[in-house]
Amino acid sequence: MLPRLVSSLRLRPSAAPLAAATRCASSGNVDIRVPLNFWAGKRMRSQEKRNKEPVYEPATGRVLCHLEPCGASEVDQAVKDAKSAFGHWSKMSGMERARIMIEAALIIESRREEIAEMEVVNNGKSITEARLDVDSARLCIEYYAGLASTLAGQHVQLPGGSFAYTRREPLGVCVGIGAWNYPFQIAAWNSLQPSPVTPVTAVMLAEIYAKAGAPEGLFNVVQGGQETGSLLCHHPDVAKVSFTGSVPTGKKIMEMASKGVKPVTLELGGKSPLLIFEDSDLENAVKGALMANFLSQGQVCSNGTRVFVQKHILPEFVEEVVKRTQAIEIGDPLAESTRMGALVSQPHLHRVLEFVEQAKKEGATVLCGGEPFVPSDPKLKGGYYMMPCVLGDCTDKMTCVKEEIFGPVMSVLSFDTEEEVLRRANDTTMGLAAGVFTRDVRRAHRVVEHLKAGSCFINNYNITPVEVPFGGFKMSGIGRENGQVTIEYYSQLKTVFVEMGDVDSLF
């Protein structure tokens, strides 16, 4: 594992900084009144005064705190600290690094509820999902701790007793710029920048690594927005940039990294298809469609939002999926019974609702939901809630089918034949994920072979075990996260030739 740099917007206290956060019953150890920058083994303040931006609690609409970006001097100091830590970390054995990572995982396990509750306050998702996200983060760290002592090269025997071997060596300081939908999980998967919208929990992970014994500078958090991200991408001591987010921003990150010929990992957007054949187990197909559309309020890049249903079972499928969508409990994300919390921000809520209105104008039928939701609890009336939406009578040319909505909106389309639905499913510039439901094993593998997507699911959806690589085709990204193959994207290969005889010279 390599030193990574985490960048986001910095939080500063508002007049009532914990007005919303105090809803967390057991988050007393979480202090968002102090800076959320982290390097040199501690939280750090910005050296210059800059304009502040409010950060909101999605569930209530109240201000959690204010953000102040870091500039060139802070970025330079954090990179220098990471570079220093790299020298120490890269000389440790795999077993030594694994011990620190396992200790970090144990700390995460012991603080599971605290981290999950702050993730809810920070992001708006249900506490049930947040706990699973914390578990995923812990499992990721445990998995790579297990791999740390297994990294090895290759020995190649050559003529005359000579030989060659390869060494897999770490890249160095890696910068990550991440998304707001899975803040803590993504920070552990990629050690990435938390989004300006959800910047709180990454610094908790930084403190956990420090407590576990990681060298100072190994995991740094530099808060900032677009300018800070640009400084990080262009810094001469940064070896790699990883980004999770939209396609347009990913293109800009790639362009900036190219100035220094730096490798990038990009996990970008998706408009993924979910194919449901008439021989499917309907119960599982409906559950799969719900999981493919409504996890984290629909704010998941891999979501299967284009649900293609074979015509023979379309009426039965629609009836059941609408019934279950209407039964989803919306409300306080800290409540145990809640299954859908608040969207991440007011502007994003408006954007998702506008997609629903546009779909209606283009001829889609709203089968349920698609409207703002106001909880009965007066403390939540300012939150960013909406009723999950199922759109019927959709066609391939509609905006809701072509563009990533990133909200709880399912578009249902019908199809006749396998050949037809494959052509339509692949008719997109993106290729992050895809799924198929069928009892026919031969059809399942045949269809998956022809789906142009990096992560495919058969008779399930949105399952992301850390042992399995995750990433996309086409404009959905470059590189992979998770699984053994990820080591290749955060290291470089050196070839060494050893001559055991005399030099055979032409001169």
Side-chain angles (χ1 to χ4, degrees):
M1 300 298 290
L2 314 177
R4 311 279 184 88
L5 217 56
V6 184
S7 166
S8 176
L9 293 181
R10 180 178 180 217
L11 293 187
R12 295 294 297 272
S14 65
L18 292 184
T22 50
R23 296 196 318 115
C24 289
S26 62
S27 58
N29 294 327
V30 179
D31 186 0
I32 63 171
R33 293 170 294 183
V34 297
L36 296 186
N37 303 306
F38 190 97
W39 63 82
K42 59 185 177 181
R43 298 189 185 219
M44 304 291 287
R45 293 189 179 277
S46 298
Q47 298 175 12
E48 301 177 18
K49 296 294 182 181
R50 296 182 176 87
N51 293 332
K52 303 173 185 177
E53 296 290 338
V55 175
Y56 298 94
E57 182 190 21
T60 65
R62 294 180 290 183
V63 174
L64 280 173
C65 42
H66 283 79
L67 302 97
E68 182 183 23
C70 290
S73 60
E74 292 88 2
V75 167
D76 190 56
Q77 184 58 58
V79 173
K80 286 180 179 177
D81 283 354
K83 187 176 181 181
S84 176
F86 172 73
H88 178 61
W89 185 250
S90 61
K91 288 181 173 59
M92 294 171 66
S93 70
M95 289 293 289
E96 290 172 318
R97 296 195 301 272
R99 289 192 195 102
I100 292 173
M101 295 169 69
I102 289 294
E103 181 62 25
L106 290 172
I107 296 172
I108 290 172
E109 186 174 31
S110 70
R111 297 177 61 183
R112 179 184 189 239
E113 197 68 13
E114 172 195 348
I115 297 167
E117 288 180 348
M118 185 49 70
E119 192 81 328
V120 170
V121 171
N122 194 29
N123 169 272
K125 67 174 59 184
S126 73
I127 185 66
T128 302
E129 285 194 42
R131 291 185 185 116
L132 297 175
D133 292 352
V134 176
D135 292 343
S136 175
R138 172 182 56 80
L139 290 169
C140 177
I141 294 169
E142 290 176 348
Y143 175 74
Y144 285 107
L147 289 183
S149 62
T150 68
L151 303 185
Q154 181 184 19
H155 177 275
V156 180
Q157 190 65 46
L158 300 172
S162 297
F163 62 93
Y165 64 90
T166 60
R167 292 169 48 92
R168 187 153 291 282
E169 300 182 350
L171 286 171
V173 177
C174 298
V175 164
I177 304 171
W180 46 252
N181 53 343
Y182 288 88
F184 191 79
Q185 183 192 73
I186 288 178
W189 277 18
N190 311 317
S191 298
L192 288 180
Q193 162 194 350
S195 161
V197 184
T198 55
V200 176
T201 49
V203 74
M204 297 174 70
L205 183 59
E207 290 176 325
I208 287 169
Y209 277 132
K211 186 176 180 180
E216 288 187 5
L218 185 74
F219 186 101
N220 296 331
V221 180
V222 179
Q223 309 286 4
Q226 182 175 343
E227 180 184 352
T228 306
S230 178
L231 290 167
L232 288 166
C233 290
H234 287 111
H235 198 287
D237 288 333
V238 167
K240 178 194 170 85
V241 180
S242 180
F243 171 73
T244 303
S246 70
V247 173
T249 306
K251 290 179 179 179
K252 294 177 182 177
I253 296 292
M254 194 172 185
E255 181 180 359
M256 287 189 287
S258 71
K259 305 296 183 184
V261 197
K262 299 171 183 176
V264 296
T265 291
L266 302 176
E267 197 270 273
L268 307 179
K271 194 63 184 177
S272 302
L274 176 59
L275 283 52
I276 299 175
F277 287 90
E278 61 186 8
D279 67 338
S280 302
D281 179 317
L282 191 64
E283 170 72 12
N284 279 325
V286 168
K287 290 192 294 185
L290 296 174
M291 291 291 288
N293 281 270
F294 298 138
L295 279 177
S296 293
Q297 297 75 251
Q299 300 166 144
V300 182
C301 53
S302 58
N303 269 359
T305 55
R306 294 185 294 146
V307 181
F308 293 91
V309 184
Q310 204 156 19
K311 282 184 178 178
H312 180 69
I313 61 169
L314 180 62
E316 186 180 1
F317 172 86
V318 168
E319 179 182 1
E320 189 63 25
V321 86
V322 167
K323 182 177 73 174
R324 297 201 185 189
T325 300
Q326 291 174 323
I328 294 174
E329 184 165 339
I330 314 165
D332 187 348
L334 285 170
E336 294 292 340
S337 60
T338 296
R339 287 298 175 265
M340 183 168 290
L343 274 70
V344 76
S345 70
Q346 187 75 44
H348 185 62
L349 171 62
H350 288 161
R351 178 180 179 273
V352 174
L353 292 172
E354 287 172 0
F355 269 107
V356 176
E357 290 302 311
Q358 181 65 28
K360 290 193 288 187
K361 292 176 183 177
E362 295 179 5
T365 302
V366 177
L367 301 176
C368 67
E371 299 176 345
F373 177 83
V374 181
S376 58
D377 187 339
K379 297 190 299 293
L380 306 176
K381 290 189 182 297
Y384 317 134
Y385 302 91
M386 72 171 285
M387 299 170 66
C389 179
V390 178
L391 297 174
D393 301 316
C394 296
T395 63
D396 295 345
K397 299 302 182 182
M398 289 180 178
T399 304
C400 63
V401 175
K402 294 170 61 179
E403 297 186 17
E404 186 176 31
I405 299 174
F406 221 64
V409 181
M410 178 194 301
S411 298
V412 180
L413 306 97
S414 65
F415 72 92
D416 288 308
T417 68
E418 179 181 317
E419 293 75 18
E420 168 210 341
V421 75
L422 278 170
R423 174 181 53 79
R424 294 166 63 194
N426 289 327
D427 187 19
T428 173
T429 59
M430 292 179 278
L432 186 55
V436 54
F437 275 82
T438 178
R439 285 191 175 96
D440 186 333
V441 175
R442 290 181 298 176
R443 169 190 277 161
H445 290 286
R446 184 173 65 241
V447 167
V448 163
E449 180 184 357
H450 290 93
L451 286 170
K452 307 302 181 185
S455 298
C456 293
F457 306 91
I458 295 176
N459 293 330
N460 210 330
Y461 205 91
N462 269 340
I463 306 301
T464 53
V466 297
E467 303 94 330
V468 179
F470 179 80
F473 287 179
K474 298 189 280 189
M475 293 182 72
S476 286
I478 297 171
R480 291 294 181 270
E481 300 291 355
N482 292 345
Q484 294 185 38
V485 71
T486 297
I487 299 296
E488 298 178 13
Y489 292 100
Y490 288 93
S491 61
Q492 54 195 347
L493 199 64
K494 177 181 288 182
T495 300
V496 180
F497 176 86
V498 181
E499 177 60 66
M500 299 299 290
D502 296 326
V503 174
D504 185 9
S505 176
L506 296 176
F507 306 100

